[in-house]
Amino acid sequence: MILNASEGIRVVATAEGAEAADVIRREMPDVVLLDIRMPDVDGLTVLQQIRTLSEPPNVAMLTTFDTDEYILTALRSGAAGFLLKDTEPEQLAQLVRTLAAGGVVMSPKASRALLRGHPGAGAPQDADLARVGLLSDRERDVLALVAEGLSNGDIGTRIHLSAGTVKDHVSSILTKLRVSSRVQAALLAQRAGLLRRNGDDPARDNAR
């Protein structure tokens, strides 16, 4: 009801348990919100099933179950976000739009759990730092904004690049960092201190 009432969003289907993966394959939505616990099969299993699709939708977990184990398993399995059901209705609609645009959405607790659950979260390993060091200054700017959860379009607006150019930068960043998702790239950005580095003015040096 909340999402159907939101401008620019159409709920194409709802499903529970074992039927969820089949419904997703049939409807091919842009965004999927999955609960952790459902009848017959849990949301994490459904997530793994739909991640095997040739063009999987952007998936976020939307649940009341927020243990570190659930959060880390979901993000490592390919979820683009982890949200709690007490998210305000207006904020939920905006987060769905962010997911549709390729962004990352995370509750504050999920962000903390991700940092706690990653080995060496407080002190980046030499190999991680070396990979971040392979990035150009512009790629580091883009990575910092990816870590803020911005979509390619929003990043382009912030630093005055086309969405296509940002997409190319993101692809290069994932390759250089040897990660497969924006969430994993965002974690490396946090651990390398790029958010603090770019926090004052992410759009600096636009002429670079």
Side-chain angles (χ1 to χ4, degrees):
M1 292 176 61
I2 292 170
L3 294 177
N4 263 330
S6 301
E7 183 178 356
I9 297 176
R10 182 168 64 93
V11 178
V12 297
T14 59
E16 291 188 358
E19 67 172 344
D22 290 336
V23 170
I24 292 166
R25 291 188 186 97
R26 183 179 70 246
E27 299 293 340
M28 292 301 294
D30 297 313
V31 171
V32 172
L33 300 178
L34 282 177
D35 202 346
I36 294 288
R37 295 186 184 177
M38 300 187 293
D40 305 323
V41 62
D42 64 84
L44 296 174
T45 298
V46 174
L47 171 62
Q48 293 170 349
Q49 291 172 343
I50 63 178
R51 289 295 297 170
T52 64
L53 298 175
S54 58
E55 295 185 8
N58 291 326
V59 180
M61 311 309 291
L62 178 65
T63 183
T64 58
F65 301 99
D66 59 354
T67 65
D68 284 8
E69 180 182 0
Y70 282 142
I71 293 169
L72 294 172
T73 299
L75 298 176
R76 289 167 178 167
S77 297
F82 198 104
L83 305 171
L84 299 181
K85 287 186 176 179
D86 60 2
T87 302
E88 292 295 327
E90 297 81 3
Q91 184 183 14
L92 178 61
Q94 184 56 47
L95 292 171
V96 167
R97 295 186 186 98
T98 298
L99 281 168
V104 174
V105 297
M106 207 92 70
S107 72
K109 180 165 185 178
S111 296
R112 291 192 295 269
L114 188 59
L115 289 172
R116 283 197 303 269
H118 195 288
Q125 299 173 0
D126 290 343
D128 294 337
L129 287 177
R131 290 198 295 272
V132 172
L134 294 175
L135 304 180
S136 68
D137 285 345
R138 176 57 80 197
E139 287 171 340
R140 289 164 73 90
D141 288 339
V142 171
L143 176 58
L145 295 174
V146 166
E148 289 185 24
L150 300 185
S151 67
N152 290 348
D154 289 337
I155 292 172
T157 299
R158 182 80 69 87
I159 57 177
H160 309 293
L161 296 174
S162 70
T165 299
V166 173
K167 181 178 180 180
D168 290 341
H169 280 314
V170 171
S171 178
S172 176
I173 289 167
L174 297 183
T175 299
K176 289 181 178 180
L177 296 183
R178 300 180 187 176
V179 296
S180 60
S181 74
R182 296 169 78 102
V183 169
Q184 293 169 334
L187 177 61
L188 276 181
Q190 292 172 324
R191 295 175 61 213
L194 291 188
L195 291 184
R196 291 187 294 274
R197 172 179 178 270
N198 287 352
D200 293 337
D201 183 14
R204 72 196 187 291
D205 297 335
N206 287 325
R208 184 183 300 150

